[in-house]
Amino acid sequence: MLTVINLMVNENSVSRSTLLNHLRKNSDPLSGTDLGGILGISRVAVRKHILRLAKEGFVIESGRKGYRLLSEPEFPSPSEYDSGTIHIQNEVESTMEEASRNSLRNCEDIQFYLARRQKAGRGRNRKSWVSPDGGLYLTTAFRPRLPAAYISLYIIETGLALVDSLREHYGVDCRFRWPNDLFVEEKKLGGLLLEVSGPAESPDHAFLGLGLNVLSSVHFAETGDRRVTCLQNEIPGGGRDLPDLKTLFETLKPVIESSLGMIEADKVRKHWRARTSTQGKVMRIDDTDYTVRNLALNGSLIVADKDGTLYEIAPGPRMMGPR
């Protein structure tokens, strides 16, 4: 008697990203039968995946000869990533809130949380961050390896690395302004926010938020603030080479990952000197003017008053309350 072995895999376990990659590689239509044979699923399952991709913004032609990918959304799609470390939503209160709520359960790997919009985006000192469509809003959850006294180096090193990447890939002449901002001359391009949870002396989770202004009309219309700028206005050539948000995320993702690895404090300080916009400048703190002299190895800013007396100003991540 012949035994029939069912080689069909669980249709729900087949990632849409695999199907999507096959559509990308073929300019000619692929039939549901062909795709099902390649992936080991039924034509019905193929159709379900196609419909889900369409809901996420992929334009897929469906005809007698099969399916053909015509265009893709400009924002990252959940179906493109099957690692379980990239989480994408259309709208959230804040990506920082999403990251802290979900990653505290399991943060062995670096986790990324993106959203098209934030209803209550957060900035430093509990300020709000205007977050309409057209910006990059991202929080990275990770386990910090640095001692608590040095944990602010993460935000400084990431900010400096982002400045380098934006300059290299898009020709944007921006600078890092301690403790957490990206500036082009005197206009703000983006900002970072670091929050931690766990024991104050040795936090066990950290959350690094990034808000980056991308489209000019969106941010100026929402804020009316001419002290801000965006990639569209700062990329040479009038923004003709402006990346879509998906390309921008995929460009900056490895930069962020690398910045959250092993950090050497002295190298961060040298990097800061080369990319800062504050060294030698006067800062007003509590109605007193100080001149910025240097960066301490723990990420604090070394400043001098008018008499030359030196002080250290700590940036300090915000400790998150109990949940």
Side-chain angles (χ1 to χ4, degrees):
M1 180 177 177
L2 204 59
T3 301
V4 178
I5 301 176
N6 185 1
L7 296 178
M8 295 288 282
V9 300
N10 182 349
E11 294 178 349
N12 292 325
S13 70
V14 177
S15 72
R16 275 180 293 277
S17 65
T18 305
L19 184 149
L20 183 58
N21 286 334
H22 281 288
L23 291 175
R24 284 170 171 161
K25 292 174 183 176
N26 290 273
S27 56
D28 295 327
L30 289 173
S31 70
T33 301
D34 289 339
L35 285 168
I38 293 169
L39 300 175
I41 61 177
S42 69
R43 290 174 57 191
V44 173
V46 169
R47 180 64 178 169
K48 288 180 180 178
H49 286 317
I50 295 293
L51 292 175
R52 176 61 182 270
L53 288 170
K55 286 185 178 180
E56 292 179 8
F58 293 89
V59 178
I60 301 173
E61 180 183 70
S62 176
R64 292 175 57 189
K65 294 183 179 181
Y67 303 105
R68 185 162 65 97
L69 181 63
L70 300 181
S71 66
E72 303 190 26
E74 294 185 349
F75 191 78
S77 163
S79 292
E80 296 180 82
Y81 308 100
D82 57 4
S83 64
T85 61
I86 299 175
H87 313 274
I88 302 168
Q89 298 187 58
N90 280 327
E91 185 175 84
V92 296
E93 290 295 318
S94 77
T95 58
M96 191 71 76
E97 202 68 34
E98 289 295 309
S100 62
R101 182 170 60 249
N102 293 293
S103 293
L104 288 177
R105 295 193 296 269
N106 179 20
C107 191
E108 298 305 322
D109 299 315
I110 290 179
Q111 306 275 322
F112 293 91
Y113 293 82
L114 294 89
R116 287 179 181 268
R117 299 174 297 279
Q118 297 182 112
K119 292 188 289 184
R122 297 210 296 268
R124 195 164 183 264
N125 297 327
R126 300 184 182 274
K127 293 179 180 178
S128 62
W129 183 274
V130 177
S131 312
D133 279 299
L136 183 66
Y137 315 118
L138 162 69
T139 292
T140 307
F142 65 102
R143 286 194 179 273
R145 301 178 185 179
L146 292 175
Y150 291 83
I151 205 164
S152 294
L153 290 176
Y154 283 122
I155 198 169
I156 296 171
E157 176 60 18
T158 302
L160 294 168
L162 290 171
V163 163
D164 287 344
S165 183
L166 292 172
R167 180 172 299 190
E168 175 188 351
H169 290 96
Y170 307 116
V172 177
D173 187 19
C174 60
R175 294 275 173 173
F176 177 74
R177 180 173 292 185
W178 187 93
N180 67 324
D181 289 329
L182 306 180
F183 268 75
V184 178
E185 297 179 347
E186 293 302 312
K187 293 184 177 182
K188 187 170 180 176
L189 177 66
L192 294 143
L193 177 67
L194 182 64
E195 295 184 349
V196 296
S197 68
E201 65 278 4
S202 58
D204 49 22
H205 292 85
F207 308 93
L208 183 68
L210 168 65
L212 193 63
N213 302 334
V214 180
L215 298 178
S216 61
S217 58
V218 171
H219 292 277
F220 292 149
E222 289 284 335
T223 66
D225 191 347
R226 295 292 164 178
R227 295 171 298 175
V228 301
T229 188
C230 63
L231 284 180
Q232 188 176 40
N233 285 356
E234 301 301 336
I235 289 178
R240 288 192 302 270
D241 297 324
L242 180 72
D244 59 37
L245 293 174
K246 182 193 302 185
T247 302
L248 184 61
F249 168 66
E250 292 176 351
T251 298
L252 300 183
K253 175 178 175 288
V255 174
I256 295 171
E257 288 174 318
S258 178
S259 300
L260 301 180
M262 297 302 296
I263 290 180
E264 296 182 34
D266 191 52
K267 288 185 178 179
V268 174
R269 180 160 63 182
K270 290 177 181 177
H271 197 180
W272 174 83
R273 288 172 181 164
R275 291 288 181 263
T276 185
S277 67
T278 50
Q279 191 170 22
K281 299 286 183 68
V282 174
M283 294 179 64
R284 174 154 287 234
I285 304 170
D286 296 332
D287 296 325
T288 302
D289 288 339
Y290 297 89
T291 301
V292 177
R293 291 288 181 83
N294 206 344
L295 187 74
L297 290 178
N298 65 357
S300 296
L301 201 63
I302 300 174
V303 300
D305 63 15
K306 64 180 181 179
D307 298 321
T309 304
L310 297 179
Y311 300 88
E312 278 194 21
I313 304 171
R318 189 170 77 87
M319 289 297 298
M320 302 179 68
R323 293 185 176 279

